[in-house]
Amino acid sequence: MGRVRLADVAAYAGVSMKTVSNVVHDYPHVKPEMRQRVQEAIDALGYRPNVTARRLATGRTGMVALAVPEIDHPYFSELSRRIAEHAASRGYRVLMEQTLSEPGAERAVLRDREEGLVDGVIFHPVSTTQSELARLSRDVPVVLLGEAAIPLTVDHVMIDNVAAAREATEHLLSLGARRPVFLAAVEGDVTVSTDRRLEGFQDALQAAGVRLPSSHVLTASDFSPQASSEAVNRALDAGLDFDAILCRDDQFAVGALSALHARGISVPDEIALVGWDDTALSRFAYPAITSVSPDKAALATSALDLLLERIGGFHGPGRHVITPHTLAIRESAPAVTEAARPL
Amino acid sequence: MGRVRLADVAAYAGVSMKTVSNVVHDYPHVKPEMRQRVQEAIDALGYRPNVTARRLATGRTGMVALAVPEIDHPYFSELSRRIAEHAASRGYRVLMEQTLSEPGAERAVLRDREEGLVDGVIFHPVSTTQSELARLSRDVPVVLLGEAAIPLTVDHVMIDNVAAAREATEHLLSLGARRPVFLAAVEGDVTVSTDRRLEGFQDALQAAGVRLPSSHVLTASDFSPQASSEAVNRALDAGLDFDAILCRDDQFAVGALSALHARGISVPDEIALVGWDDTALSRFAYPAITSVSPDKAALATSALDLLLERIGGFHGPGRHVITPHTLAIRESAPAVTEAARPL
DNA sequence: CCGCAACGTTACAGCGCTGTAAAAGTGGTG
DNA sequence: CACCACTTTTACAGCGCTGTAACGTTGCGG
């Protein structure tokens, strides 16, 4: 237990508290012999600094909050890990928060900062409006993640969704796909990310001179793989003719894959499939699913570094960083080996 | 920002700091009119209590640490979510830590407590020895998770691994399996959980009068799905004759499934498959994988409740709680519909 | 051998809140 | 109306640490 206090060490070593503090903090101007004497006292007494007292004295917590919709969603848990690891290397710790996309919980995120729990917040908003975000993040170090409507005044990190969708679609076309569908929209969904990805999808089709009816955008009832399966089955039952699917995320991709498997449709031979987020879900599926892969490490480091700058006192206008993405090519939409083969 | 202090509110309302504090804490003996006056001051000034100062004054942090090997492993992230949600309902927050199974990181876990960062620790140890665990958790509120060698003096929550493995194996046998393998051991692994699960596997076989050579325990080179695939392929290449696989976890199960898929072996018709942990990996696979399902909510609530009792001052001997588990029956080893059909 | 830097160390006032103990108010009784 | 038993409010001393400012100490040039 935190029984031993700085004062105890000071008394034991016969020096002032401040000197002990200086030793603890590796302050340079301490004579080696003094440093050693104090260190011995620290070791002898088993002293551990009390973080809370330090925080109160310095006003800094050494913690940042990471607020995401669901902490056990593969994308977020993988991203969290990256952020936590990068934070550790910068001497920070991460407090994870789950908002479940609820407005109340999202609003509460910034309260942690106000209450001095953390020095800043990395936040993936879903339901908070742009203007509310702008208002709430006044004077609070915040970095936003994701593709919701983000106010220009707030720092923001994301990948180029339009380009990523375009590239994924081009990849499908290069495989010989001519009638791809976008499994994307969710009924009642208002997220901007879907729009951006759809835009890239259509850009690629247009550039390739492919013209498709709007029926080639599939809609699921919610964000679950089951809903995705149903959407694919509905399309198939309705006789929709398609040879590739670009999914808005990996959960949709595994759902689509199930539906295709169940019908005995070969992936990628009959229908090629691309997911999004490059999570464990796509890596471990069979066949392994090609997936748009945001550079999670870059996302993590960019977001944290921007945040730490804000915490450090930076007061400039919102920075908007685009981090790299790639297409993680796997079996569900493999690399073109020979000439584009017709599907 | 935390500009407004308790003293400011007190001055504004013309009362003492303590009265404001009492209002903030809903202390009962405050006259309604006084409460209202203070509340108005709080609202007018936008006062938010400073958590750090409160912590220093009370000595309690309202946070518990959850230390697991990998925060983005589906099992741990799903468990974390449960724990975080239960903690929230009890007024606590969870600080997540990743040990990567490294002894140093595992040892550091208890330091957080010593430094006053958290009030207690829920810890899933891997590489820390039993005696070290016993020593390190003296006088520190700790609850252990998992199946490592746990000292009897420390609180511990887990499922009955032997029984779970036995039931899973019985389920495979009920499906008609006669030559199941256990995909379990990892070279150089010393974890006890594998042993327990293997024990249950063998118990079930013995009870059913099935006698198998030791070659029916498959060994992978590490914990990845790839290693699992390779192990299955090796067994198949070696001509090992088996009709069911019990995997030590879901990652192994998805790896095994890939290998079987790739060879055109039907699951469950030719080989039935059972995973372990009931994570997103098994739920979203195709076919969906039957998996031993620890009651994660029960695990979470038991562990946290035990911990909160310790934090509350309980000093009794170690409690050892077994939480329920079920077998989440899915397509890879479905329920028996008719009489047991031979595979 | 004095004066002045730069170095080393110390004393002490907070950081913002809560627990304690005591003071002040309230009302019921005899 | 004095007294007692509560209830309500207050003053103030910490919680354990760090920042500041000030106070020694050295070492070195003149």
Side-chain angles (χ1 to χ4, degrees), chain A:
Chain A
M1 321 284 266
R3 285 254 55 82
V4 183
R5 298 173 331 276
L6 197 56
D8 301 324
V9 179
Y12 185 96
V15 299
S16 75
M17 280 168 50
K18 192 68 225 270
T19 296
V20 179
S21 172
N22 286 154
V23 170
V24 169
H25 288 282
D26 274 326
Y27 178 73
H29 301 301
V30 178
K31 277 198 181 151
E33 62 169 63
M34 171 93 332
R35 182 183 302 281
Q36 190 192 335
R37 177 146 63 103
V38 172
Q39 188 58 54
E40 281 165 5
I42 290 175
D43 295 342
L45 268 40
Y47 169 71
R48 316 245 114 236
N50 178 315
V51 182
T52 304
R54 173 135 81 213
R55 288 178 177 177
L56 183 58
T58 61
R60 304 184 64 271
T61 68
M63 297 218 304
V64 299
L66 171 61
V68 298
E70 294 181 282
I71 59 181
D72 62 345
H73 185 294
Y75 174 68
F76 293 120
S77 70
E78 291 174 21
L79 183 62
S80 297
R81 172 171 176 168
R82 298 305 209 303
I83 291 178
E85 288 178 346
H86 185 58
S89 79
R90 310 287 256 93
Y92 273 78
R93 315 197 58 155
V94 175
L95 184 62
M96 247 118 104
E97 311 204 33
Q98 174 166 277
T99 63
L100 297 176
S101 304
E102 289 162 6
E106 295 203 342
R107 219 169 289 123
V109 161
L110 301 177
R111 284 250 266 273
D112 281 355
R113 174 66 230 305
E114 290 171 345
E115 296 185 348
L117 233 192
V118 297
D119 296 332
V121 177
I122 298 178
F123 176 24
H124 187 116
V126 173
S127 60
T128 307
T129 64
Q130 191 169 16
S131 62
E132 205 167 6
L133 280 173
R135 189 167 49 75
L136 293 174
S137 48
R138 269 208 185 310
D139 307 319
V140 173
V142 181
V143 173
L144 265 18
L145 255 27
E147 292 85 41
I150 302 290
L152 289 172
T153 51
V154 185
D155 290 344
H156 179 210
V157 182
M158 66 176 210
I159 65 164
D160 184 338
N161 276 258
V162 179
R166 192 190 320 115
E167 290 158 24
T169 309
E170 285 166 357
H171 178 69
L172 288 170
L173 294 173
S174 78
L175 256 30
R178 284 300 165 263
R179 300 172 305 283
V181 299
F182 184 41
L183 176 44
V186 166
E187 290 158 17
D189 176 31
V190 290
T191 60
V192 185
S193 56
T194 299
D195 284 352
R196 296 238 173 91
R197 294 174 190 180
L198 182 55
E199 183 184 337
F201 175 72
Q202 289 173 320
D203 282 359
L205 295 187
Q206 198 162 331
V210 178
R211 207 155 293 270
L212 292 173
S214 63
S215 59
H216 278 243
V217 174
L218 269 35
T219 301
S221 58
D222 60 47
F223 287 97
S224 69
Q226 288 73 14
S228 167
S229 282
E230 288 159 17
V232 170
N233 278 322
R234 258 198 316 277
L236 256 10
D237 289 342
L240 189 69
D241 182 27
F242 58 97
D243 51 16
I245 311 178
L246 173 60
C247 299
R248 75 172 308 285
D249 62 28
D250 280 350
Q251 306 228 24
F252 273 24
V254 298
L257 189 57
S258 290
L260 298 175
H261 266 135
R263 286 173 171 251
I265 295 173
S266 161
V267 175
D269 296 327
E270 294 174 75
I271 293 186
L273 182 67
V274 171
W276 197 295
D277 283 343
D278 187 18
T279 63
L281 257 25
S282 54
R283 291 195 292 275
F284 298 160
Y286 184 86
I289 300 172
T290 293
S291 188
V292 171
S293 178
D295 185 336
K296 298 191 189 83
L299 231 32
T301 56
S302 298
L304 191 72
D305 289 346
L306 289 180
L307 185 63
L308 294 187
E309 282 176 32
R310 289 274 170 202
I311 291 172
F314 177 78
H315 272 109
R319 280 88 48 93
H320 296 261
V321 176
I322 301 292
T323 51
H325 64 268
T326 52
L327 190 62
I329 307 275
R330 304 201 178 92
E331 301 152 13
S332 76
V336 194
T337 47
E338 334 148 51
R341 64 192 161 72
L343 285 172

Side-chain angles (χ1 to χ4, degrees), chain B residues 6 16 65 138 268 288:
Chain B
L6 198 56
S16 75
R138 273 211 180 308

Side-chain angles (χ1 to χ4, degrees), chain B residues 52-94:
Chain B
T52 304
R54 174 136 77 212
R55 287 178 177 178
L56 183 58
T58 61
R60 303 183 63 271
T61 67
M63 296 216 304
V64 299
L66 171 60
V68 297
E70 293 182 281
I71 60 180
D72 63 346
H73 184 295
Y75 174 68
F76 293 120
S77 70
E78 290 173 23
L79 183 62
S80 297
R81 173 170 175 168
R82 300 303 210 300
I83 291 179
E85 288 177 347
H86 185 59
S89 79
R90 311 286 256 90
Y92 273 78
R93 316 196 60 154
V94 176

